[in-house]
Amino acid sequence: MGAVAHEAHGHHDDHGHHEESFVSKYIFSQDHKMIGKQFLMTAVFMGVVAMLLSILFRIQLAWPGEESEFLSFFLGDQWAPNGVLSEDMYLGLVTIHGTIMVFFLLTGGLSGTFSNLLIPLQVGARDMASGFLNMLSYWFFFISSVLMFVSLFVETGPAMAGWTIYPPLSALPTAVQGSGLGMTLWLFSMSIFIASSLIGSLNYIVTVLNLRTKGMSMTRLPLTVWAFFVTAILGVLSFPVLLSAAVLLMMDRMAGTSFYLSDIIVQGEMLTQHGGSPLLYQHLFWFLGHPEVYIVLLPALGLSSEIISTNSRKPIFGYRAMIGSILAIGFLSFIVWGHHMFVTGMNPFLGSVFVFTTLLIAIPSAVKVFNYITTLWKGSIVYTPAMLFAIGLVSTFITGGVTGIILADSALDIAIHDTYFVVAHFHIVMGMSAVLGMFAGVYHWFPKMYGKMMNTRLGYAHFWITLIGAYGVFFPMHFVGLAGAPRRYYDYSVYETFDGDTFEMIMDLNVIVTIFAIIAALGQILFLFNFFYSIFRGPKAPQNPWRSNTLEWTTPVEHIHGNWPGELPTVHRWPYDYSKPGQEEDFVPQTVPLAEGEEEH
Amino acid sequence: MAKLFVLLVIILGVIALAQLMRVYELSSKLTNKKENEISNRDNRLNAKLMLGFMLFLFIGFIWMMLKYGWTGRGPAASVHGEQTDWLLNLNFVIIILVFFLTNALLFVFAWKYVKKPGVPAFYYPHNNKLEMVWTVIPAVVLAVIIILGLNSWNEVTDKAKDDAIRVELFSYQFNWNARYAGVDNQLGKYDYKLNDDAANPLALMTTETIDKAIENMITGPNGIEDLENKLNDPKKVYSEEMRTDMEESLARKEQLIRLLYQMKARNTGKYDKRAKDDIITDTLYLCKDQNYELTFRSKDVIHSAYIPHLRTQMNTVPGAITRFKVTPNMTTQEMREIKNDEDFNFILMCNKICGGAHYNMNMVVVVMEKEEYDVWMKGEWKKMDGEKRLMKRGKIHEATFEHTYYKKEPTKTYPEIQAEKAEAEAAKAKEAEGEDGEEPTDGGDVVDNEDGQTT
Ligand code: HEM
Ligand SMILES: [Cu+2]
Ligand SMILES: [Cu+2]
């Protein structure tokens, strides 16, 4: 932020000169660039927390019942008596880890950061459609993050029903202690989060539709903006459904209604609720839940499209097909949610329909992968750290995507649903891909965010440790899952009672996984260090460090209100004219008019 | 103290890293190196690492496949399970091919097309034919997968055959019961309001259990009268919280008792018989090659009955019945021989997060030959008292059922097993040196603690 602080004064733009106070500049800022950075900082903090939580429960899984100083240091006597993690807290850690990673890091953090930063800059707008709502969106996100974080310190523990918080478990404080105050906080936090996400998404949609600069037709938009745009639409259509699911759950918890509850006896107490259906909740949840996984993934794919094209010095292959796949994925993602419910007692015929739609979604996904690969073909690849991460993303998208095909086949899902195979699938395809995409974005647009360069060598080291570490964590989980090991188990000693060989295999693999997890986690220190060090002391960034075509690189390095001094740029071509024959340079920015007789593409 | 030390090390580490960065910065200033200009050396290094990583990934995968096989569950032990495995293997072949092929293309291109000075990139924005090809090929392959998958799914979820024996699996925090339909092969009716943890844990409905439930609700401990007395007793002082809890509990019971009276009024006793011959056990005994229709029920939260070896899984949903049909086709004994493990058992594990002891909620599943199964079943019938014996088929033979299937308690933690292994290896090494001919003892005798079956 140093550069901004020193150099932003005395700027001259359309809005005229006005002094900004510290508060309006750094805290209640309405500038999209600052808000993007606020999202990023909050998300980085939440991400570190969630990663730490995962290390805590991985220790238990690898060395069950062994005393650990590390555990008692972080969890104290209440949750880790004698340095052994308690059963309940294990579930609490798993739940909050999942929630933070999916919603706070990969939804709020990823979309919040990059939609905010890039949409106005890449469509050629002075700011978001509504700066005030944008600010509100961040502060809602902030409050919900605080609530979620605070819920870790509640006396009865955080929510413990898994990130999907299926009732009745999440509705009954007597069923598990985390369903008391911890779950209340979870529900409030998520409700505020949803409000934040809705406000943000509406803003993104309006900005993309209305504030494109002259010449920026929809088919000249960078794929990043297309991805953010479709993501925002998914969010607007699906998050309200999660909100209603949460509100009904709150009513079951507080007002004695029976939306999700029926004929229950818990801890010896017979409840009067009758006629509710736990499946209703699952339908509502996954109606958001599945689009949500694409809300997480699409922005990452958008970022990497841009990065791969720039650093291969080639146009992205099949630009229109890429847009088509984004739209197809967006549409299909709304009609596949039932694949999470094959064995819940849902009508089997309905199951068949979801098998069909789910497998359809693999087609646009495959198209995207092949297009990325063809973009690399005969390119002239420059390995910036961002490029490494983007290629890593394509690999994990493939590796995790193919196992989806097995899971989507309901007849096979019976045998592996809710095992570690599923955990492997979604961590690779969603977790890793989105995290790699987010890192790629940070390395690539850091110069735009902070006016400084990050250190390249540290970036390399960070990438290789992360890729090897993460594959090392999640790949063996396939084998654990195929051995039938259920997920969300505190330990696997039950295997010892019926199948000693498999028990040993599971335990061997669990140790391997935990060791890789620790390596990968330590690797992130390199990133954190690089990130913060470069903010303050990194070398000054040139205006267009990656020799890129898109509009954001035509803005001055110093951030100014309104983005461009003087008039807004006019766009004359698509953003992917890299290595176009007959051009002097190997890139042609979107603002360069077509030469006489030049075809657009 | 140790914490302080760790903190100190971390701080020092960060400072050291910062100093290194300073040095790096100074040197790059001297050589005029810019962070955004990637040297050819760095490009080539990363390109090679891409290829290296591909090898790491592929070799690692193959190694794990060789070491662990692709299913640690062993062969399927049910009729539909064999079908599942066949399809699973087919799908695996397809996706593993795709995995190798596309990852190889990705990493090889990443390695091969790294920037070479003077060689420009090839401007290639699109090719409709090519894109068509890789839309159609996946579509065709997926069509095959969908058709085969749905065929199999339809079979698995089809109605059970008429001769299927009905067994109910009842789940609660944190255990399982099995309920056999008895001679009439009809499961007795139930209603959760009839639950009585001691006498009627599965809340079966008969004229007597309805009466008993009403009685309990009114006069039992923490029944309506009890609560009223407590609340009205001026001599007793309760905390605010306890008082509200008691008041709420009383309100609930007053509501429930009305429903119980309604139930009593409607009851004709017609279904008593169905319930009375039901057999309840805490191990699931199945007969080889027999069709079963399993139904599932939950007392409190959602659980899931997962029997990996039978490739069977179904959630248990409070307030609803779910079902799954299965035909085991391999006995426990046969599987023991295949696995070469005398202690092996089939198992049913809870597979839906359900609270603290979720990981400990399981039930042994025993699959037996017909003869053995009959002996067991007759023994169960015999255990019931005279009135409940509603068998129409012949007399009950004197039958004793001795089995070796029991629920073991986990005895060792993983670190202990590791230590044991290390010890055993050390002993072996010693032996190899020929120091002494003593045989390594393993484990000691297995204790045969037969579990008592509740009826
Ligand atoms: C080829 C495309 C894909 C198919 C066919 C597919 C299929 C499935 C299926 C059937 C499940 C349910 C498995 C079960 O619970 O037994 C599942 C779980 C999941 N998938 Fe995918 N998937 C695909 C791609 C993705 C992508 C791209 C993402 C994320 C960006 C994703 C994220 C998830 C998540 C988060 C879950 C687990 C949710 C949970 O149970 O906690 N999947 N997938
Ligand atoms: Cu899904
Ligand atoms: Cu359970």
Side-chain angles (χ1 to χ4, degrees):
Chain A
M1 272 176 242
V4 190
H6 302 307
E7 285 147 359
H9 288 284
H11 56 85
H12 37 84
D13 63 335
D14 289 0
H15 297 249
H17 189 92
H18 50 258
E19 280 299 323
E20 284 175 292
S21 68
F22 180 81
V23 171
S24 75
K25 190 166 162 75
Y26 291 111
I27 300 178
F28 295 109
S29 170
Q30 297 191 13
D31 185 291
H32 70 101
K33 302 180 287 299
M34 180 54 71
I35 293 175
K37 287 194 274 185
Q38 289 173 325
F39 267 107
L40 183 59
M41 282 296 170
T42 316
V44 165
F45 173 76
M46 292 303 270
V48 170
V49 170
M51 188 178 70
L52 196 69
L53 299 184
S54 73
I55 296 298
L56 295 178
F57 64 71
R58 276 307 327 175
I59 290 179
Q60 157 63 22
L61 287 174
W63 302 285
E66 256 186 288
E67 240 184 86
S68 155
E69 281 247 353
F70 194 70
L71 288 179
S72 51
F73 177 79
F74 280 101
L75 295 168
D77 274 347
Q78 189 192 355
W79 297 116
N82 303 319
V84 179
L85 183 61
S86 83
E87 289 171 359
D88 279 2
M89 196 53 178
Y90 174 80
L91 297 181
L93 293 177
V94 175
T95 302
I96 302 298
H97 163 78
T99 309
I100 292 183
M101 285 298 192
V102 172
F103 293 110
F104 291 82
L105 181 69
L106 296 180
T107 306
L110 187 53
S111 279
T113 306
F114 290 104
S115 296
N116 263 309
L117 178 75
L118 292 182
I119 288 179
L121 285 175
Q122 289 194 334
V123 305
R126 298 236 177 256
D127 204 319
M128 280 290 176
S130 165
F132 176 74
L133 285 184
N134 208 20
M135 176 188 84
L136 214 58
S137 157
Y138 170 71
W139 284 101
F140 278 3
F141 176 66
F142 181 80
I143 295 169
S144 70
S145 304
V146 170
L147 280 182
M148 191 57 74
F149 183 63
V150 163
S151 81
L152 282 167
F153 302 97
V154 171
E155 199 191 338
T156 49
M160 292 171 184
W163 77 280
T164 53
I165 58 155
Y166 282 5
L169 186 62
S170 59
L172 308 171
T174 39
V176 68
Q177 53 177 329
S179 291
L181 182 57
M183 182 56 73
T184 307
L185 284 171
W186 194 99
L187 288 168
F188 276 105
S189 165
M190 279 310 297
S191 303
I192 298 171
F193 177 89
I194 292 168
S196 153
S197 158
L198 278 179
I199 299 172
S201 300
L202 288 171
N203 223 343
Y204 307 150
I205 294 173
V206 175
T207 309
V208 173
L209 288 180
N210 292 336
L211 296 186
R212 278 170 289 134
T213 188
K214 198 159 151 239
M216 182 62 92
S217 61
M218 289 303 269
T219 49
R220 280 180 182 164
L221 283 176
L223 288 171
T224 32
V225 176
W226 265 106
F228 297 142
F229 178 60
V230 173
T231 301
I233 295 175
L234 297 188
V236 167
L237 294 179
S238 64
F239 265 117
V241 179
L242 180 65
L243 185 61
S244 57
V247 169
L248 297 190
L249 182 53
M250 285 188 204
M251 290 178 45
D252 271 4
R253 290 164 54 82
M254 296 182 222
T257 55
S258 39
F259 291 107
Y260 305 137
L261 305 180
S262 184
D263 298 5
I264 289 170
I265 303 173
V266 61
Q267 295 294 312
E269 191 65 34
M270 210 176 272
L271 305 185
T272 51
Q273 274 102 337
H274 176 73
S277 165
L279 289 200
L280 170 63
Y281 174 86
Q282 298 178 19
H283 281 295
L284 294 175
F285 182 88
W286 288 114
F287 187 84
L288 157 93
H290 191 86
E292 166 65 20
V293 305
Y294 284 98
I295 290 174
V296 163
L297 190 72
L298 284 179
L301 290 177
L303 295 174
S304 56
S305 303
E306 183 65 30
I307 292 167
I308 287 181
S309 170
T310 305
N311 290 302
S312 310
R313 314 308 297 164
K314 270 188 71 186
I316 191 82
F317 182 80
Y319 173 71
R320 277 168 197 265
M322 290 297 246
I323 297 177
S325 341
I326 293 178
L327 289 172
I329 288 176
F331 171 71
L332 288 172
S333 71
F334 276 103
I335 49 172
V336 300
W337 78 88
H339 63 222
H340 298 275
M341 299 173 62
F342 288 138
V343 300
T344 54
M346 183 178 73
N347 186 322
F349 174 72
L350 206 50
S352 324
V353 176
F354 284 120
V355 171
F356 181 69
T357 53
T358 303
L359 286 170
L360 280 189
I361 222 172
I363 298 173
S365 311
V367 169
K368 282 194 90 77
V369 167
F370 287 125
N371 285 2
Y372 284 132
I373 292 177
T374 315
T375 305
L376 294 180
W377 180 68
K378 291 201 175 177
S380 173
I381 300 171
V382 182
Y383 279 113
T384 65
M387 182 63 171
L388 291 172
F389 279 98
I391 291 179
L393 174 152
V394 179
S395 169
T396 54
F397 187 53
I398 296 168
T399 310
V402 291
T403 51
I405 288 173
I406 302 236
L407 294 170
D409 213 332
S410 52
L412 306 179
D413 190 48
I414 295 168
I416 40 180
H417 173 67
D418 263 347
T419 65
Y420 263 83
F421 194 83
V422 176
V423 179
H425 160 70
F426 73 77
H427 275 94
I428 294 179
V429 75
M430 173 170 84
M432 278 176 74
S433 300
V435 167
L436 294 176
M438 188 163 173
F439 280 132
V442 172
Y443 280 103
H444 194 77
W445 278 282
F446 191 86
K448 197 74 256 163
M449 281 191 259
Y450 295 100
K452 302 285 180 73
M453 299 301 297
M454 281 175 90
N455 185 290
T456 310
R457 294 281 167 80
L458 279 179
Y460 290 158
H462 173 222
F463 170 73
W464 288 110
I465 294 179
T466 304
L467 189 73
I468 293 172
Y471 257 122
V473 169
F474 299 118
F475 211 90
M477 286 187 186
H478 292 113
F479 291 86
V480 180
L482 285 176
R487 68 195 278 206
R488 294 165 174 163
Y489 263 30
Y490 168 76
D491 82 24
Y492 290 88
S493 52
V494 50
Y495 267 82
E496 203 210 323
T497 67
F498 71 90
D499 189 347
D501 291 347
T502 307
F503 175 65
E504 280 197 28
M505 157 184 165
I506 291 175
M507 291 314 299
D508 280 352
L509 287 172
N510 269 346
V511 173
I512 295 177
V513 166
T514 299
I515 288 172
F516 273 110
I518 292 172
I519 293 173
L522 290 176
Q524 304 317 305
I525 294 175
L526 290 180
F527 170 75
L528 291 175
F529 176 80
N530 196 356
F531 183 72
F532 288 108
Y533 187 89
S534 305
I535 288 178
F536 295 108
R537 304 198 43 101
K540 192 164 176 299
Q543 186 174 11
N544 189 357
W546 319 120
R547 300 153 62 76
S548 190
N549 289 343
T550 37
L551 291 183
E552 74 271 30
W553 305 110
T554 61
T555 62
V557 177
E558 291 79 29
H559 283 180
I560 58 172
H561 241 316
N563 296 340
W564 283 270
E567 254 178 70
L568 286 175
T570 307
V571 167
H572 297 283
R573 57 178 74 233
W574 76 328
Y576 296 111
D577 272 340
Y578 290 105
S579 304
K580 194 168 187 183
Q583 301 284 343
E584 231 166 81
E585 291 270 8
D586 67 352
F587 70 111
V588 190
Q590 283 188 281
T591 48
V592 175
L594 289 176
E596 201 140 330
E598 188 189 350
E599 295 215 5
E600 199 178 338
H601 64 268
Chain B
M1 198 55 220
K3 288 173 196 173
L4 208 72
F5 183 71
V6 172
L7 217 66
L8 213 68
V9 169
I10 291 175
I11 292 171
L12 286 177
V14 172
I15 292 175
L17 206 56
Q19 291 306 320
L20 275 177
M21 286 287 281
R22 297 285 297 270
V23 173
Y24 173 83
E25 257 169 34
L26 285 176
S27 70
S28 53
K29 254 202 198 113
L30 282 180
T31 55
N32 215 357
K33 179 183 177 319
K34 297 212 179 77
E35 289 302 324
N36 57 315
E37 283 165 13
I38 311 294
S39 69
N40 286 327
R41 229 184 86 217
D42 282 355
N43 268 335
R44 278 198 306 267
L45 173 71
N46 279 300
K48 278 185 201 137
L49 284 173
M50 281 284 168
L51 203 62
F53 180 76
M54 180 184 84
L55 295 178
F56 166 76
L57 184 64
F58 287 178
I59 292 173
F61 179 35
I62 293 170
W63 178 76
M64 277 199 281
M65 267 202 294
L66 293 179
K67 181 143 193 241
Y68 298 115
W70 66 27
T71 136
R73 294 170 296 195
S78 66
V79 174
H80 82 270
E82 288 180 350
Q83 167 87 5
T84 306
D85 278 12
W86 179 84
L87 198 60
L88 191 63
N89 289 345
L90 178 75
N91 279 8
F92 263 127
V93 170
I94 295 173
I95 71 163
I96 288 173
L97 282 179
V98 174
F99 165 81
F100 276 123
L101 198 78
T102 38
N103 266 312
L105 282 177
L106 176 73
F107 285 117
V108 169
F109 286 177
W111 162 71
K112 188 161 176 211
Y113 296 110
V114 65
K115 177 174 172 185
K116 291 171 202 80
V119 183
F122 174 44
Y123 186 80
Y124 191 51
H126 62 100
N127 177 337
N128 292 346
K129 215 188 260 166
L130 211 56
E131 286 168 67
M132 210 54 193
V133 168
W134 60 55
T135 313
V136 170
I137 292 181
V140 171
V141 175
L142 285 169
V144 174
I145 291 179
I146 292 175
I147 291 168
L148 291 176
L150 286 185
N151 262 341
S152 184
W153 173 245
N154 287 343
E155 260 166 52
V156 174
T157 56
D158 203 8
K159 271 216 202 82
K161 296 232 171 58
D162 288 340
D163 67 346
I165 293 183
R166 301 211 154 73
V167 182
E168 178 188 71
L169 290 167
F170 181 75
S171 58
Y172 55 95
Q173 284 181 329
F174 297 97
N175 219 335
W176 295 88
N177 285 132
R179 174 161 70 113
Y180 294 79
V183 210
D184 56 2
N185 201 21
Q186 284 186 315
L187 285 162
K189 292 186 100 183
Y190 66 89
D191 187 302
Y192 85 112
K193 295 186 281 296
L194 302 173
N195 167 73
D196 174 345
D197 279 342
N200 189 16
L202 269 62
L204 301 191
M205 188 193 283
T206 65
T207 311
E208 295 92 73
T209 57
I210 296 176
D211 288 340
K212 188 82 189 339
I214 291 176
E215 190 189 319
N216 278 347
M217 187 76 76
I218 297 175
T219 59
N222 277 323
I224 292 177
E225 284 178 6
D226 189 20
L227 284 172
E228 275 175 350
N229 287 341
K230 278 185 194 158
L231 283 165
N232 292 335
D233 190 342
K235 275 182 259 157
K236 293 225 169 99
V237 185
Y238 296 106
S239 70
E240 189 86 19
E241 206 177 317
M242 267 173 90
R243 187 164 271 280
T244 13
D245 276 356
M246 276 156 66
E247 278 165 359
E248 278 174 8
S249 177
L250 182 62
R252 273 200 289 269
K253 290 196 163 116
E254 280 169 348
Q255 214 175 324
L256 289 166
I257 193 83
R258 282 201 294 275
L259 296 170
L260 280 172
Y261 280 130
Q262 284 172 15
M263 194 188 300
K264 185 176 162 72
R266 277 199 304 268
N267 174 44
T268 56
K270 201 167 91 188
Y271 296 114
D272 286 12
K273 271 200 298 193
R274 276 199 201 170
K276 281 185 179 168
D277 71 340
D278 287 359
I279 294 164
I280 298 167
T281 66
D282 55 12
T283 298
L284 178 61
Y285 295 99
L286 298 174
C287 178
K288 182 181 163 183
D289 294 332
Q290 167 69 49
N291 294 326
Y292 282 94
E293 184 183 47
L294 305 179
T295 54
F296 304 86
R297 188 148 68 90
S298 170
K299 178 180 173 185
D300 35 45
V301 301
I302 301 177
H303 302 273
S304 184
Y306 179 41
I307 316 177
H309 309 97
L310 301 189
R311 311 293 189 257
T312 292
Q313 178 164 212
M314 184 49 72
N315 288 5
T316 72
V317 182
I321 296 180
T322 51
R323 51 190 81 239
F324 198 97
K325 72 178 168 65
V326 62
T327 310
N329 66 358
M330 195 187 284
T331 63
T332 302
Q333 196 50 47
E334 282 165 344
M335 193 62 137
R336 286 178 173 182
E337 276 153 25
I338 290 176
K339 286 221 155 204
N340 197 13
D341 176 359
E342 263 312 294
D343 290 335
F344 175 86
N345 264 323
F346 295 127
I347 195 146
L348 181 158
M349 290 183 276
C350 181
N351 198 16
K352 188 61 84 186
I353 183 171
C354 64
H358 169 51
Y359 71 100
N360 227 347
M361 176 170 166
N362 49 67
M363 170 159 79
V364 172
V365 178
V366 177
V367 181
M368 301 179 282
E369 297 286 357
K370 177 111 177 62
E371 301 81 52
E372 203 184 354
Y373 180 83
D374 285 345
V375 173
W376 168 75
M377 192 45 111
K378 281 171 187 157
E380 289 300 315
W381 283 338
K382 200 172 140 249
K383 277 194 219 150
M384 299 204 184
D385 58 37
E387 196 205 344
K388 280 193 196 157
R389 251 186 256 158
L390 297 161
M391 270 83 58
K392 303 195 178 89
R393 282 182 290 184
K395 277 194 217 136
I396 303 159
H397 299 286
E398 282 298 315
T400 47
F401 175 66
E402 301 255 346
H403 71 75
T404 56
Y405 314 107
Y406 52 85
K407 189 164 167 174
K408 279 195 295 182
E409 287 304 318
T411 46
K412 296 175 234 164
T413 61
Y414 188 64
E416 279 165 5
I417 292 179
Q418 290 280 295
E420 248 170 53
K421 242 206 237 163
E423 240 171 61
E425 251 155 48
K428 238 193 218 156
K430 236 184 192 177
E431 203 182 321
E433 280 168 31
E435 293 203 347
D436 52 64
E438 214 179 303
E439 288 217 349
T441 51
D442 55 356
D445 293 12
V446 188
V447 193
D448 229 289
N449 56 341
E450 188 138 333
D451 63 338
Q453 277 133 27
T454 44
T455 24

